[in-house]
């Protein structure tokens, strides 16, 4: 089973940027997604990307976040710009739609100060 390790989170001021990375231990062939979960809220899908590079975004991040992948490096990225306090959450990567993940890694914490 491919293991996924997220990194790149941290503390940033409102309006700032962060780039998250998701390194896979093996080849990833399907659609990948970045998800997030804020305290007291359900985990939500914020962006997904097919192996061919087609992307989809949640309305809340559209125009600010960019998902990308490097298939040769088995890595998926999430460039987050114009961050808002409501973007603060633990971010996870996993297989994307239509797959519904049941196992999750540690994630990476994103904190946005106002």
């Amino acid at each position: 089973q491919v293991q996924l390790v997220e990194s790149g989170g941290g503390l940033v001021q409102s309006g700032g940027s962060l780039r998250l990375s998701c390194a896979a231990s093996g080849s990833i062939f399907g659609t990948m997604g970045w998800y997030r979960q804020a305290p007291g809220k359900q985990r939500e899908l914020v962006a997904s990307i097919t192996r061919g590079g087609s992307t989809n975004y949640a309305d809340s991040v559209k125009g600010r976040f960019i998902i990308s992948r490097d298939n040769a490096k088995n890595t998926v990225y999430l460039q987050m710009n114009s961050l808002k306090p409501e973007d603060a959450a633990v971010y996870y990567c996993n297989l994307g739609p239509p797959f519904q993940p049941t196992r999750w890694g540690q994630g990476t914490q994103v904190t946005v100060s106002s």
Side-chain angles (χ1 to χ4, degrees):
Q1 187 172 354
V2 175
Q3 303 296 316
L4 302 170
V5 179
E6 304 93 344
S7 63
L11 172 63
V12 64
Q13 287 189 331
S14 183
S17 298
L18 282 175
R19 189 193 195 204
L20 307 183
S21 297
C22 171
S25 59
S27 297
I28 43 178
F29 296 101
T31 297
M32 293 296 294
W34 278 99
Y35 302 77
R36 69 186 180 188
Q37 186 169 23
K41 296 187 176 181
Q42 287 192 328
R43 192 166 0 227
E44 61 173 341
L45 176 68
V46 296
S48 63
I49 184 168
T50 67
R51 183 170 177 80
S54 295
T55 58
N56 274 292
Y57 298 92
D59 288 343
S60 59
V61 307
K62 203 170 291 183
R64 300 187 298 120
F65 289 12
I66 301 171
I67 188 172
S68 61
R69 65 192 289 169
D70 185 331
N71 294 326
K73 294 183 178 179
N74 298 324
T75 304
V76 182
Y77 305 97
L78 186 69
Q79 177 67 42
M80 305 187 296
N81 301 318
S82 302
L83 281 161
K84 305 175 181 180
E86 51 263 43
D87 294 318
V90 179
Y91 283 72
Y92 305 86
C93 70
N94 213 317
L95 294 175
F99 189 79
Q100 294 184 340
T102 56
R103 292 186 174 183
W104 298 90
Q106 295 290 328
T108 186
Q109 176 74 52
V110 172
T111 304
V112 184
S113 63
S114 57

